[in-house]
Amino acid sequence: MEPLLLSRLQARKIILHAAGLARHAQFGTGPEAVYRLIDHLGFVQLDTNFVVERAHHHVMAARVPDYEPQWLADLVEDGLIFEYYTSDAGYLPMHDFRFSLPVKEAFAVNRGTPAPAETRLMKQVLDRVEREGPLMVGDFENDRIEASAGWWDWRPAKVALERLYYDGKLMITRTKGFQKIYDLPLNLVPNETDLTVPTPEEYARFVIRRTLGALGIAYSKEMAWRARYVKGNLVKKELEKMAATGEVLTVAVEGLKSAPLYMLPNQQTDIELTGDAFILSPFDILNVFRHRLRDFFDFDYQIECFVPAPKRKYGYFSLPILVGDTFVARMDAKADRKQKLLIVHNLHFEAVELSAAMIGKIVEALKAFVKFNGCRDVVFSKCNEEGYLVLIREGLR
């Protein structure tokens, strides 16, 4: 079967619509919109970085205009979502719970047989949670024998809690300060939840459909990445079968010479973008695969908090700014929560000509982002396009 040929613009529209970024409030407003978004994407990555508001809240606020961070905790408490892993840690819909089971099994198998002392400690920790209810790391005495060598050097009780979490014996909720609370699945997973372990074929097909639903158009490597903890997964094999039977479509994009691309046959293609501006998290579903930004959006992006300071080009935590179907800038920002001030260390515009309307959209996105971060004002330290910055400052006033 010949691949479906798409223009670069069509491909971008499909990708943005799948990501929930075709227009503001694509999934509506309120807590129900947050659930619809998570259910659509299938996975929202969480991250601890608190330079600006954490990534999982940022993803929501970019798409749900009236978003409140408490809504995520409410959805967990209501048994509608849970925290665990696909390719990374994040929030998943509870009705996908059974597809977390192969990942849990993989963590246990790949780690190998623990030493007897570790097994005993894990049993003791699990027994305490069963007897006493939800516990935090601080509820266990400091069982470290030697002095800590750094933040990565967890004490034994913490290691035991985390291993029990990875294996599925414990689950996680969070305090308002983002600290982990470890609890039994019995207390967090609704009784009606399907706990049947999927076959390898089922799991692979689930990953394929979920990845394509969230990305719109994807390479096989992105689907394989989502299943990366399950070694020997059948994603590539099942993808070939699904392409042969028409359960997924092969796609070609004009001007893009690449590995085969895939799309779900029911994917909407007649998409209109409203031209809204979005300030996005580096961990947004749209940004986590750098090669996709280059291939489809001609945007060369890297989060530089993992880059040594002397080698950074744009700043520690630069946030991509999207207007319509174009990445127009990146903004290295920090929320000074005591002063209630958003500090923009560097606002770097791409080589794109911006209209007054586009500047207006950026201003509105900035106002919302300042408020979302609990700030009252914004200051700019550096910008490569003074003319645009003057217009933005005027708009903000």
Side-chain angles (χ1 to χ4, degrees):
M1 188 182 296
E2 284 293 311
L4 175 67
L5 183 62
L6 300 171
S7 69
R8 192 73 66 95
L9 177 58
Q10 283 176 309
R12 288 198 296 267
K13 286 182 175 182
I14 290 167
I15 290 166
L16 292 171
H17 183 266
L21 295 168
R23 62 184 184 277
H24 274 314
Q26 188 175 316
F27 292 91
T29 56
E32 297 81 7
V34 174
Y35 177 72
R36 283 192 291 269
L37 173 58
I38 296 172
D39 189 34
H40 169 76
L41 294 178
F43 168 73
V44 173
Q45 185 172 339
L46 61 80
D47 193 75
T48 58
N49 195 306
F50 201 40
V51 177
V52 291
E53 184 55 86
R54 291 187 175 95
H56 39 289
H57 295 309
H58 189 165
V59 167
M60 303 299 165
R63 294 161 171 83
V64 181
D66 60 342
Y67 176 72
E68 295 180 18
Q70 179 59 35
W71 292 348
L72 266 185
D74 292 343
L75 289 171
V76 171
E77 187 175 344
D78 292 343
L80 292 172
I81 64 172
F82 69 105
E83 180 180 331
Y84 195 62
Y85 278 79
T86 56
S87 53
D88 299 278
Y91 291 100
L92 300 90
M94 185 61 78
H95 62 75
D96 285 351
F97 186 84
R98 64 187 291 250
F99 293 101
S100 72
L101 301 178
V103 184
K104 291 164 182 169
E105 183 181 346
F107 274 125
V109 170
N110 296 340
R111 189 171 62 243
T113 306
E118 292 173 345
T119 301
R120 283 195 299 273
L121 179 59
M122 288 171 69
K123 185 177 186 308
Q124 290 165 6
V125 167
L126 187 58
D127 284 347
R128 272 199 64 184
V129 178
E130 288 173 344
R131 289 195 317 270
E132 301 175 30
L135 295 173
M136 299 169 63
V137 174
D139 294 316
F140 293 83
E141 64 183 59
N142 191 341
D143 52 0
R144 188 191 307 281
I145 297 173
E146 298 176 355
S148 173
W151 63 263
W152 63 88
D153 183 20
W154 291 347
R155 58 197 224 216
K158 167 72 170 174
V159 172
L161 286 164
E162 285 294 295
R163 285 182 175 174
L164 289 164
Y165 161 62
Y166 289 136
D167 295 354
K169 303 287 197 320
L170 293 176
M171 291 178 67
I172 285 174
T173 58
R174 301 270 179 171
T175 67
K176 288 188 176 180
F178 201 59
Q179 294 170 302
K180 292 179 179 179
I181 304 170
Y182 297 86
D183 200 355
L184 299 174
L186 179 69
N187 297 328
L188 297 174
V189 180
N191 292 333
E192 65 273 15
T193 306
D194 187 353
L195 302 179
T196 310
V197 179
T199 66
E201 291 79 9
E202 270 187 296
Y203 175 71
R205 287 173 174 251
F206 165 80
V207 168
I208 290 164
R209 293 191 186 99
R210 269 303 194 189
T211 309
L212 289 176
L215 296 182
I217 298 170
Y219 299 105
S220 65
K221 61 183 176 182
E222 290 124 20
M223 300 176 230
W225 176 258
R226 180 157 177 161
R228 67 190 176 115
Y229 289 119
V230 181
K231 292 183 179 178
N233 67 73
L234 302 179
V235 167
K236 289 187 177 179
K237 187 177 288 186
E238 291 302 309
L239 182 59
E240 290 174 6
K241 291 181 186 176
M242 293 173 77
T245 59
E247 292 171 88
V248 300
L249 302 178
T250 54
V251 173
V253 177
E254 289 177 354
L256 183 61
K257 294 179 181 179
S258 68
L261 289 160
Y262 301 90
M263 184 175 79
L264 292 173
N266 61 351
Q267 173 64 56
Q268 185 178 338
T269 54
D270 56 335
I271 295 159
E272 291 300 320
L273 304 181
T274 55
D276 291 321
F278 298 92
I279 299 170
L280 298 174
S281 166
F283 300 102
D284 196 286
I285 187 68
L286 191 64
N287 300 325
V288 291
F289 296 109
R290 291 174 59 193
H291 61 271
R292 289 173 59 81
L293 295 179
R294 289 193 301 267
D295 289 349
F296 299 112
F297 295 92
D298 298 316
F299 184 55
D300 189 8
Y301 174 74
Q302 179 182 15
I303 178 173
E304 295 183 343
C305 58
F306 305 119
V307 175
K311 295 185 178 181
R312 290 176 193 147
K313 293 174 63 178
Y314 302 106
Y316 176 81
F317 205 67
S318 66
L319 313 173
I321 300 179
L322 177 78
V323 180
D325 71 328
T326 305
F327 284 95
V328 301
R330 56 193 96 201
M331 181 177 78
D332 180 37
K334 175 180 173 61
D336 184 332
R337 295 170 178 91
K338 288 185 178 179
Q339 301 295 323
K340 296 194 177 301
L341 185 66
L342 185 73
I343 302 166
V344 177
H345 298 299
N346 185 17
L347 178 59
H348 181 92
F349 287 93
E350 303 299 299
V352 177
E353 187 172 342
L354 301 182
S355 65
M358 294 170 80
I359 292 289
K361 295 279 190 180
I362 293 170
V363 168
E364 291 308 308
L366 269 167
K367 287 179 180 177
F369 193 69
V370 169
K371 183 179 178 183
F372 163 61
N373 277 279
C375 298
R376 297 197 189 101
D377 204 355
V378 56
V379 294
F380 300 89
S381 302
K382 179 183 175 184
C383 181
N384 67 327
E385 291 286 351
E386 192 60 33
Y388 290 155
L389 184 57
V390 168
L391 294 173
I392 286 170
R393 281 180 168 142
E394 288 176 357
L396 289 170
R397 280 200 295 270

